[in-house]
Amino acid sequence: MKTRITELFAIEHPIIQGGMHFVGLAELASAVSNAGGLGIITGLTQRTPELLAKEIARCRDMTDKPFGVNLTFLPSVKPPDYPGYVRAIIEGGVKIVETAGNNPQKWLPALREHGIKVIHKCTSVRHALKAESIGCDAASVDGFECGGHPGEDDIPNMILLPRAAEELKIPFVASGGMADARSLVASLALGADGMNMGTRFIATKEAPVHENVKQALLAATELDTRLIMRPLRNTERVLQNPAVDRLLMKERELGGNIKFEDILPEVAGVYPAIMQRGEMEAGAWSCGMVAGLIHDIPSCKELIDRIMVEAKELIRGRLARLL
Ligand SMILES: Cc1cc2nc3c(=O)[nH]c(=O)nc-3n(C[C@H](O)[C@H](O)[C@H](O)COP(=O)(O)O)c2cc1C
């Protein structure tokens, strides 16, 4: 299948694996890229730029296909060494960067000077238009369904994607709630040039996370995610568990007076415990409503091949027959 996204990134299938903290390591990114999609290493999971450089080198050993690096720009008192991470990306010869969070404008000249294509993750049409205006090559449009940070507008993809298609000139992928061939064909019908999946890629053989995480996704339904940190305007969709219930109770009790420090035990530094050690109640972890559509743990190649075969069947079969 050829779309503006497969052309832009020189990939076979219009399927991207979004950056995921403590999930987007070289094992997953290379498996997705080897399967013809675009795998992405999560930059900030590597504690230092030097470690990111090593992770990029490890990924290159595992694939000769294009892969990208995610750089998430978060508001923080003590920001990570972003110039160092950008240098590691450039020196590592990576040609695709997925940016997310704050406006990436400051970093675009350096990236573009080295021929790096930038896809910015946006949760609203206005942010996507901003990304276009500052020179991003593509957008990843993340609907309210998504795992992680859906923003504060709460617009689901059934509306957000056609709105993005109405306004954007740059190519964009549909993100949030994507799991299978139906997601891909629907995304294309709504005007997107491909799709980005997060949660679905965690339940794959190559995802380098504890088996408990994969089993939690198999057990979860579409009813099992919760929105946390809404009062802090840093909303995150996570899988419900006792730590999340505790956090939500604090939000109810403290109301508008809540501060980030109040919920630190439930959110700060919990990813290694969950993703690596499988301590599923250690804290809150991002998860999409799409968990309800995850029923197996295929390899990335099995997953992507299945999506592409079934997408063609859907388009040539079911949809064509309706005419
Ligand atoms: C466990 C997990 C961790 C994530 N970490 C990040 C991150 O560090 N940076 C980022 O830009 N997006 C992150 N995301 C968001 C994904 O890249 C993607 O946009 C989102 O998962 C899409 O929604 P879906 O889960 O419904 O497919 C994360 C998502 C999950 C599920």
Side-chain angles (χ1 to χ4, degrees), residues 17-21 23 42 45 70-72 98-101 121 140 142 145-149 175-178 196-200 202 271 275 285-290:
Q17 164 250 314
M20 287 181 282
H21 202 33
V23 184
T42 314
T45 298
N70 168 284
L71 269 185
T72 304
E98 177 195 51
T99 52
K121 187 147 22 157
S140 188
D142 225 7
E145 305 89 333
C146 73
H149 294 271
S175 177
M178 305 293 148
N196 177 68
M197 301 194 292
T199 305
R200 170 70 265 202
I202 305 177
Y271 270 73
M275 296 299 175
W285 60 283
S286 295
C287 175
M289 287 177 165
V290 74

Side-chain angles (χ1 to χ4, degrees), residues 52-255:
L52 176 59
K54 280 193 189 147
E55 197 64 12
I56 291 170
R58 228 162 57 79
C59 195
R60 200 171 298 295
D61 280 347
M62 291 187 251
T63 184
D64 53 12
K65 302 269 177 63
F67 62 90
V69 171
N70 168 284
L71 269 185
T72 304
F73 299 108
L74 302 164
S76 63
V77 192
K78 190 172 169 286
D81 178 6
Y82 286 118
Y85 285 105
V86 168
R87 212 173 320 116
I89 290 168
I90 292 170
E91 288 171 4
V94 172
K95 292 296 171 206
I96 300 163
V97 166
E98 177 195 51
T99 52
N102 291 346
N103 186 330
Q105 187 162 19
K106 183 173 166 193
W107 310 101
L108 290 186
L111 296 172
R112 296 180 70 88
E113 191 187 316
H114 291 87
I116 296 170
K117 302 262 187 292
V118 176
I119 177 165
H120 186 59
K121 187 147 22 157
C122 314
T123 57
S124 70
V125 174
R126 67 184 183 286
H127 289 148
L129 281 172
K130 182 75 192 172
E132 179 175 277
S133 76
I134 63 173
C136 290
D137 300 279
S140 188
V141 176
D142 225 7
F144 184 50
E145 305 89 333
C146 73
H149 294 271
E152 309 302 326
D153 290 349
D154 303 356
I155 309 296
N157 269 333
M158 208 67 192
I159 310 296
L160 189 61
L161 297 174
R163 278 290 298 124
E166 284 176 2
E167 304 269 350
L168 289 179
K169 290 186 198 67
I170 52 173
F172 70 98
V173 292
S175 177
M178 305 293 148
D180 53 29
R182 295 169 299 185
S183 322
L184 177 58
V185 175
S187 300
L188 298 173
L190 292 170
D193 303 280
M195 69 175 178
N196 177 68
M197 301 194 292
T199 305
R200 170 70 265 202
F201 274 120
I202 305 177
T204 57
K205 288 203 175 84
E206 295 92 343
V209 299
H210 197 281
E211 185 61 24
N212 290 354
V213 181
K214 301 180 188 183
Q215 292 304 323
L217 289 176
L218 288 188
T221 77
E222 63 277 19
L223 301 174
D224 294 332
T225 70
R226 298 288 180 271
L227 294 174
I228 61 167
M229 294 193 280
R230 181 123 268 192
L232 296 165
R233 291 191 65 76
N234 185 29
T235 301
E236 182 181 359
R237 187 180 295 285
V238 299
L239 192 66
Q240 186 266 335
N241 66 19
V244 169
D245 290 343
R246 233 173 21 247
L247 189 160
L248 289 172
M249 178 80 81
K250 289 184 197 175
E251 289 187 354
R252 277 193 297 274
E253 283 170 6
L254 296 169

Side-chain angles (χ1 to χ4, degrees), residues 24-64:
L25 306 180
E27 286 79 4
L28 181 61
S30 63
V32 172
S33 289
N34 282 332
L38 180 68
I40 294 190
I41 293 173
T42 314
L44 297 188
T45 298
Q46 304 303 322
R47 274 179 293 105
T48 64
E50 292 69 33
L51 289 172
L52 176 59
K54 280 193 189 147
E55 197 64 12
I56 291 170
R58 228 162 57 79
C59 195
R60 200 171 298 295
D61 280 347
M62 291 187 251
T63 184
D64 53 12

